[in-house]
mmCIF file with all atom_site columns, all heavy atoms in Angstrom:
data_model
loop_
_atom_site.group_PDB
_atom_site.id
_atom_site.type_symbol
_atom_site.label_atom_id
_atom_site.label_alt_id
_atom_site.label_comp_id
_atom_site.label_asym_id
_atom_site.label_entity_id
_atom_site.label_seq_id
_atom_site.pdbx_PDB_ins_code
_atom_site.Cartn_x
_atom_site.Cartn_y
_atom_site.Cartn_z
_atom_site.occupancy
_atom_site.B_iso_or_equiv
_atom_site.pdbx_formal_charge
_atom_site.auth_seq_id
_atom_site.auth_comp_id
_atom_site.auth_asym_id
_atom_site.auth_atom_id
_atom_site.pdbx_PDB_model_num
ATOM 1   N N   . ILE A 1 47 ? 190.456 274.379 -10.596 1.00 85.00 ? 47 ILE A N   1
ATOM 2   C CA  . ILE A 1 47 ? 189.074 274.861 -10.642 1.00 85.00 ? 47 ILE A CA  1
ATOM 3   C C   . ILE A 1 47 ? 188.111 273.697 -10.818 1.00 85.00 ? 47 ILE A C   1
ATOM 4   O O   . ILE A 1 47 ? 187.088 273.581 -10.137 1.00 85.00 ? 47 ILE A O   1
ATOM 5   C CB  . ILE A 1 47 ? 188.902 275.876 -11.792 1.00 85.00 ? 47 ILE A CB  1
ATOM 6   C CG1 . ILE A 1 47 ? 189.690 277.153 -11.480 1.00 85.00 ? 47 ILE A CG1 1
ATOM 7   C CG2 . ILE A 1 47 ? 187.426 276.212 -12.016 1.00 85.00 ? 47 ILE A CG2 1
ATOM 8   C CD1 . ILE A 1 47 ? 189.779 278.114 -12.643 1.00 85.00 ? 47 ILE A CD1 1
ATOM 9   N N   . LYS A 1 48 ? 188.444 272.808 -11.726 1.00 87.00 ? 48 LYS A N   1
ATOM 10  C CA  . LYS A 1 48 ? 187.599 271.640 -11.993 1.00 87.00 ? 48 LYS A CA  1
ATOM 11  C C   . LYS A 1 48 ? 187.511 270.740 -10.747 1.00 87.00 ? 48 LYS A C   1
ATOM 12  O O   . LYS A 1 48 ? 186.428 270.223 -10.413 1.00 87.00 ? 48 LYS A O   1
ATOM 13  C CB  . LYS A 1 48 ? 188.179 270.855 -13.175 1.00 87.00 ? 48 LYS A CB  1
ATOM 14  C CG  . LYS A 1 48 ? 187.339 269.672 -13.639 1.00 87.00 ? 48 LYS A CG  1
ATOM 15  C CD  . LYS A 1 48 ? 186.087 270.100 -14.371 1.00 87.00 ? 48 LYS A CD  1
ATOM 16  C CE  . LYS A 1 48 ? 186.412 270.657 -15.748 1.00 87.00 ? 48 LYS A CE  1
ATOM 17  N NZ  . LYS A 1 48 ? 185.144 270.913 -16.510 1.00 87.00 ? 48 LYS A NZ  1
ATOM 18  N N   . SER A 1 49 ? 188.637 270.584 -10.071 1.00 86.00 ? 49 SER A N   1
ATOM 19  C CA  . SER A 1 49 ? 188.673 269.735 -8.860  1.00 86.00 ? 49 SER A CA  1
ATOM 20  C C   . SER A 1 49 ? 187.816 270.335 -7.757  1.00 86.00 ? 49 SER A C   1
ATOM 21  O O   . SER A 1 49 ? 187.102 269.627 -7.041  1.00 86.00 ? 49 SER A O   1
ATOM 22  C CB  . SER A 1 49 ? 190.111 269.584 -8.354  1.00 86.00 ? 49 SER A CB  1
ATOM 23  O OG  . SER A 1 49 ? 190.917 268.983 -9.320  1.00 86.00 ? 49 SER A OG  1
ATOM 24  N N   . ARG A 1 50 ? 187.887 271.671 -7.624  1.00 84.00 ? 50 ARG A N   1
ATOM 25  C CA  . ARG A 1 50 ? 187.112 272.329 -6.580  1.00 84.00 ? 50 ARG A CA  1
ATOM 26  C C   . ARG A 1 50 ? 185.613 272.178 -6.841  1.00 84.00 ? 50 ARG A C   1
ATOM 27  O O   . ARG A 1 50 ? 184.836 271.909 -5.923  1.00 84.00 ? 50 ARG A O   1
ATOM 28  C CB  . ARG A 1 50 ? 187.488 273.812 -6.516  1.00 84.00 ? 50 ARG A CB  1
ATOM 29  C CG  . ARG A 1 50 ? 186.724 274.576 -5.431  1.00 84.00 ? 50 ARG A CG  1
ATOM 30  C CD  . ARG A 1 50 ? 187.157 276.017 -5.360  1.00 84.00 ? 50 ARG A CD  1
ATOM 31  N NE  . ARG A 1 50 ? 186.928 276.700 -6.630  1.00 84.00 ? 50 ARG A NE  1
ATOM 32  C CZ  . ARG A 1 50 ? 187.289 277.958 -6.862  1.00 84.00 ? 50 ARG A CZ  1
ATOM 33  N NH1 . ARG A 1 50 ? 187.944 278.644 -5.930  1.00 84.00 ? 50 ARG A NH1 1
ATOM 34  N NH2 . ARG A 1 50 ? 187.039 278.538 -8.017  1.00 84.00 ? 50 ARG A NH2 1
ATOM 35  N N   . THR A 1 51 ? 185.210 272.347 -8.101  1.00 86.00 ? 51 THR A N   1
ATOM 36  C CA  . THR A 1 51 ? 183.797 272.192 -8.462  1.00 86.00 ? 51 THR A CA  1
ATOM 37  C C   . THR A 1 51 ? 183.322 270.766 -8.186  1.00 86.00 ? 51 THR A C   1
ATOM 38  O O   . THR A 1 51 ? 182.246 270.543 -7.624  1.00 86.00 ? 51 THR A O   1
ATOM 39  C CB  . THR A 1 51 ? 183.594 272.531 -9.948  1.00 86.00 ? 51 THR A CB  1
ATOM 40  O OG1 . THR A 1 51 ? 184.119 273.836 -10.203 1.00 86.00 ? 51 THR A OG1 1
ATOM 41  C CG2 . THR A 1 51 ? 182.121 272.500 -10.314 1.00 86.00 ? 51 THR A CG2 1
ATOM 42  N N   . ALA A 1 52 ? 184.142 269.813 -8.575  1.00 87.00 ? 52 ALA A N   1
ATOM 43  C CA  . ALA A 1 52 ? 183.795 268.399 -8.342  1.00 87.00 ? 52 ALA A CA  1
ATOM 44  C C   . ALA A 1 52 ? 183.685 268.105 -6.848  1.00 87.00 ? 52 ALA A C   1
ATOM 45  O O   . ALA A 1 52 ? 182.790 267.370 -6.405  1.00 87.00 ? 52 ALA A O   1
ATOM 46  C CB  . ALA A 1 52 ? 184.839 267.502 -8.987  1.00 87.00 ? 52 ALA A CB  1
ATOM 47  N N   . LEU A 1 53 ? 184.592 268.699 -6.050  1.00 86.00 ? 53 LEU A N   1
ATOM 48  C CA  . LEU A 1 53 ? 184.575 268.485 -4.603  1.00 86.00 ? 53 LEU A CA  1
ATOM 49  C C   . LEU A 1 53 ? 183.282 269.014 -3.991  1.00 86.00 ? 53 LEU A C   1
ATOM 50  O O   . LEU A 1 53 ? 182.662 268.356 -3.134  1.00 86.00 ? 53 LEU A O   1
ATOM 51  C CB  . LEU A 1 53 ? 185.785 269.167 -3.957  1.00 86.00 ? 53 LEU A CB  1
ATOM 52  C CG  . LEU A 1 53 ? 185.845 269.120 -2.424  1.00 86.00 ? 53 LEU A CG  1
ATOM 53  C CD1 . LEU A 1 53 ? 185.985 267.674 -1.935  1.00 86.00 ? 53 LEU A CD1 1
ATOM 54  C CD2 . LEU A 1 53 ? 187.003 269.962 -1.888  1.00 86.00 ? 53 LEU A CD2 1
ATOM 55  N N   . LYS A 1 54 ? 182.877 270.218 -4.424  1.00 85.00 ? 54 LYS A N   1
ATOM 56  C CA  . LYS A 1 54 ? 181.647 270.814 -3.898  1.00 85.00 ? 54 LYS A CA  1
ATOM 57  C C   . LYS A 1 54 ? 180.451 269.913 -4.155  1.00 85.00 ? 54 LYS A C   1
ATOM 58  O O   . LYS A 1 54 ? 179.591 269.701 -3.288  1.00 85.00 ? 54 LYS A O   1
ATOM 59  C CB  . LYS A 1 54 ? 181.447 272.190 -4.539  1.00 85.00 ? 54 LYS A CB  1
ATOM 60  C CG  . LYS A 1 54 ? 180.319 272.997 -3.920  1.00 85.00 ? 54 LYS A CG  1
ATOM 61  C CD  . LYS A 1 54 ? 180.283 274.385 -4.502  1.00 85.00 ? 54 LYS A CD  1
ATOM 62  C CE  . LYS A 1 54 ? 179.169 275.216 -3.864  1.00 85.00 ? 54 LYS A CE  1
ATOM 63  N NZ  . LYS A 1 54 ? 179.106 276.585 -4.407  1.00 85.00 ? 54 LYS A NZ  1
ATOM 64  N N   . LEU A 1 55 ? 180.368 269.364 -5.366  1.00 87.00 ? 55 LEU A N   1
ATOM 65  C CA  . LEU A 1 55 ? 179.259 268.479 -5.721  1.00 87.00 ? 55 LEU A CA  1
ATOM 66  C C   . LEU A 1 55 ? 179.339 267.149 -4.952  1.00 87.00 ? 55 LEU A C   1
ATOM 67  O O   . LEU A 1 55 ? 178.318 266.594 -4.534  1.00 87.00 ? 55 LEU A O   1
ATOM 68  C CB  . LEU A 1 55 ? 179.264 268.225 -7.225  1.00 87.00 ? 55 LEU A CB  1
ATOM 69  C CG  . LEU A 1 55 ? 179.065 269.472 -8.123  1.00 87.00 ? 55 LEU A CG  1
ATOM 70  C CD1 . LEU A 1 55 ? 179.228 269.094 -9.580  1.00 87.00 ? 55 LEU A CD1 1
ATOM 71  C CD2 . LEU A 1 55 ? 177.698 270.095 -7.871  1.00 87.00 ? 55 LEU A CD2 1
ATOM 72  N N   . ALA A 1 56 ? 180.562 266.650 -4.791  1.00 85.00 ? 56 ALA A N   1
ATOM 73  C CA  . ALA A 1 56 ? 180.747 265.376 -4.062  1.00 85.00 ? 56 ALA A CA  1
ATOM 74  C C   . ALA A 1 56 ? 180.317 265.513 -2.607  1.00 85.00 ? 56 ALA A C   1
ATOM 75  O O   . ALA A 1 56 ? 179.692 264.609 -2.039  1.00 85.00 ? 56 ALA A O   1
ATOM 76  C CB  . ALA A 1 56 ? 182.210 264.945 -4.149  1.00 85.00 ? 56 ALA A CB  1
ATOM 77  N N   . ILE A 1 57 ? 180.646 266.667 -2.001  1.00 85.00 ? 57 ILE A N   1
ATOM 78  C CA  . ILE A 1 57 ? 180.239 266.912 -0.613  1.00 85.00 ? 57 ILE A CA  1
ATOM 79  C C   . ILE A 1 57 ? 178.732 267.041 -0.524  1.00 85.00 ? 57 ILE A C   1
ATOM 80  O O   . ILE A 1 57 ? 178.101 266.572 0.429   1.00 85.00 ? 57 ILE A O   1
ATOM 81  C CB  . ILE A 1 57 ? 180.941 268.175 -0.065  1.00 85.00 ? 57 ILE A CB  1
ATOM 82  C CG1 . ILE A 1 57 ? 182.435 267.878 0.171   1.00 85.00 ? 57 ILE A CG1 1
ATOM 83  C CG2 . ILE A 1 57 ? 180.305 268.646 1.232   1.00 85.00 ? 57 ILE A CG2 1
ATOM 84  C CD1 . ILE A 1 57 ? 183.262 269.078 0.577   1.00 85.00 ? 57 ILE A CD1 1
ATOM 85  N N   . ALA A 1 58 ? 178.131 267.675 -1.560  1.00 84.00 ? 58 ALA A N   1
ATOM 86  C CA  . ALA A 1 58 ? 176.669 267.868 -1.561  1.00 84.00 ? 58 ALA A CA  1
ATOM 87  C C   . ALA A 1 58 ? 175.939 266.533 -1.541  1.00 84.00 ? 58 ALA A C   1
ATOM 88  O O   . ALA A 1 58 ? 174.889 266.403 -0.903  1.00 84.00 ? 58 ALA A O   1
ATOM 89  C CB  . ALA A 1 58 ? 176.254 268.691 -2.777  1.00 84.00 ? 58 ALA A CB  1
ATOM 90  N N   . ILE A 1 59 ? 176.459 265.533 -2.248  1.00 85.00 ? 59 ILE A N   1
ATOM 91  C CA  . ILE A 1 59 ? 175.783 264.222 -2.278  1.00 85.00 ? 59 ILE A CA  1
ATOM 92  C C   . ILE A 1 59 ? 176.347 263.258 -1.234  1.00 85.00 ? 59 ILE A C   1
ATOM 93  O O   . ILE A 1 59 ? 175.962 262.100 -1.164  1.00 85.00 ? 59 ILE A O   1
ATOM 94  C CB  . ILE A 1 59 ? 175.862 263.581 -3.687  1.00 85.00 ? 59 ILE A CB  1
ATOM 95  C CG1 . ILE A 1 59 ? 177.306 263.228 -4.056  1.00 85.00 ? 59 ILE A CG1 1
ATOM 96  C CG2 . ILE A 1 59 ? 175.231 264.476 -4.727  1.00 85.00 ? 59 ILE A CG2 1
ATOM 97  C CD1 . ILE A 1 59 ? 177.417 262.379 -5.306  1.00 85.00 ? 59 ILE A CD1 1
ATOM 98  N N   . LYS A 1 60 ? 177.321 263.756 -0.427  1.00 85.00 ? 60 LYS A N   1
ATOM 99  C CA  . LYS A 1 60 ? 177.889 262.985 0.696   1.00 85.00 ? 60 LYS A CA  1
ATOM 100 C C   . LYS A 1 60 ? 178.478 261.650 0.242   1.00 85.00 ? 60 LYS A C   1
ATOM 101 O O   . LYS A 1 60 ? 178.251 260.609 0.867   1.00 85.00 ? 60 LYS A O   1
ATOM 102 C CB  . LYS A 1 60 ? 176.832 262.744 1.763   1.00 85.00 ? 60 LYS A CB  1
ATOM 103 C CG  . LYS A 1 60 ? 176.241 264.014 2.330   1.00 85.00 ? 60 LYS A CG  1
ATOM 104 C CD  . LYS A 1 60 ? 175.164 263.702 3.362   1.00 85.00 ? 60 LYS A CD  1
ATOM 105 C CE  . LYS A 1 60 ? 174.518 264.974 3.878   1.00 85.00 ? 60 LYS A CE  1
ATOM 106 N NZ  . LYS A 1 60 ? 173.447 264.709 4.854   1.00 85.00 ? 60 LYS A NZ  1
ATOM 107 N N   . ASP A 1 61 ? 179.229 261.696 -0.857  1.00 87.00 ? 61 ASP A N   1
ATOM 108 C CA  . ASP A 1 61 ? 179.853 260.478 -1.371  1.00 87.00 ? 61 ASP A CA  1
ATOM 109 C C   . ASP A 1 61 ? 181.328 260.473 -0.983  1.00 87.00 ? 61 ASP A C   1
ATOM 110 O O   . ASP A 1 61 ? 182.136 261.229 -1.539  1.00 87.00 ? 61 ASP A O   1
ATOM 111 C CB  . ASP A 1 61 ? 179.707 260.407 -2.891  1.00 87.00 ? 61 ASP A CB  1
ATOM 112 C CG  . ASP A 1 61 ? 180.349 259.151 -3.472  1.00 87.00 ? 61 ASP A CG  1
ATOM 113 O OD1 . ASP A 1 61 ? 180.156 258.069 -2.872  1.00 87.00 ? 61 ASP A OD1 1
ATOM 114 O OD2 . ASP A 1 61 ? 181.055 259.265 -4.484  1.00 87.00 ? 61 ASP A OD2 1
ATOM 115 N N   . ASP A 1 62 ? 181.686 259.650 -0.006  1.00 88.00 ? 62 ASP A N   1
ATOM 116 C CA  . ASP A 1 62 ? 183.052 259.623 0.533   1.00 88.00 ? 62 ASP A CA  1
ATOM 117 C C   . ASP A 1 62 ? 184.082 259.292 -0.534  1.00 88.00 ? 62 ASP A C   1
ATOM 118 O O   . ASP A 1 62 ? 185.186 259.851 -0.547  1.00 88.00 ? 62 ASP A O   1
ATOM 119 C CB  . ASP A 1 62 ? 183.144 258.609 1.682   1.00 88.00 ? 62 ASP A CB  1
ATOM 120 C CG  . ASP A 1 62 ? 182.364 259.055 2.910   1.00 88.00 ? 62 ASP A CG  1
ATOM 121 O OD1 . ASP A 1 62 ? 182.246 260.280 3.101   1.00 88.00 ? 62 ASP A OD1 1
ATOM 122 O OD2 . ASP A 1 62 ? 181.871 258.199 3.651   1.00 88.00 ? 62 ASP A OD2 1
ATOM 123 N N   . ASN A 1 63 ? 183.763 258.377 -1.412  1.00 90.00 ? 63 ASN A N   1
ATOM 124 C CA  . ASN A 1 63 ? 184.708 257.971 -2.454  1.00 90.00 ? 63 ASN A CA  1
ATOM 125 C C   . ASN A 1 63 ? 185.042 259.140 -3.390  1.00 90.00 ? 63 ASN A C   1
ATOM 126 O O   . ASN A 1 63 ? 186.207 259.402 -3.705  1.00 90.00 ? 63 ASN A O   1
ATOM 127 C CB  . ASN A 1 63 ? 184.132 256.799 -3.253  1.00 90.00 ? 63 ASN A CB  1
ATOM 128 C CG  . ASN A 1 63 ? 185.142 256.211 -4.215  1.00 90.00 ? 63 ASN A CG  1
ATOM 129 O OD1 . ASN A 1 63 ? 186.095 255.543 -3.811  1.00 90.00 ? 63 ASN A OD1 1
ATOM 130 N ND2 . ASN A 1 63 ? 184.953 256.463 -5.496  1.00 90.00 ? 63 ASN A ND2 1
ATOM 131 N N   . SER A 1 64 ? 184.005 259.877 -3.806  1.00 89.00 ? 64 SER A N   1
ATOM 132 C CA  . SER A 1 64 ? 184.206 261.025 -4.698  1.00 89.00 ? 64 SER A CA  1
ATOM 133 C C   . SER A 1 64 ? 184.963 262.138 -3.990  1.00 89.00 ? 64 SER A C   1
ATOM 134 O O   . SER A 1 64 ? 185.851 262.783 -4.577  1.00 89.00 ? 64 SER A O   1
ATOM 135 C CB  . SER A 1 64 ? 182.857 261.548 -5.200  1.00 89.00 ? 64 SER A CB  1
ATOM 136 O OG  . SER A 1 64 ? 182.178 260.561 -5.936  1.00 89.00 ? 64 SER A OG  1
ATOM 137 N N   . ILE A 1 65 ? 184.619 262.365 -2.711  1.00 88.00 ? 65 ILE A N   1
ATOM 138 C CA  . ILE A 1 65 ? 185.311 263.410 -1.934  1.00 88.00 ? 65 ILE A CA  1
ATOM 139 C C   . ILE A 1 65 ? 186.798 263.081 -1.825  1.00 88.00 ? 65 ILE A C   1
ATOM 140 O O   . ILE A 1 65 ? 187.666 263.930 -2.044  1.00 88.00 ? 65 ILE A O   1
ATOM 141 C CB  . ILE A 1 65 ? 184.683 263.538 -0.525  1.00 88.00 ? 65 ILE A CB  1
ATOM 142 C CG1 . ILE A 1 65 ? 183.251 264.045 -0.626  1.00 88.00 ? 65 ILE A CG1 1
ATOM 143 C CG2 . ILE A 1 65 ? 185.506 264.492 0.342   1.00 88.00 ? 65 ILE A CG2 1
ATOM 144 C CD1 . ILE A 1 65 ? 182.469 263.970 0.677   1.00 88.00 ? 65 ILE A CD1 1
#
Side-chain angles (χ1 to χ4, degrees):
I47 292 170
K48 185 73 72 173
S49 299
R50 181 178 60 184
T51 306
L53 175 64
K54 189 174 181 180
L55 298 174
I57 288 174
I59 66 170
K60 301 178 183 179
D61 180 43
D62 291 331
N63 188 72
S64 299
I65 294 170

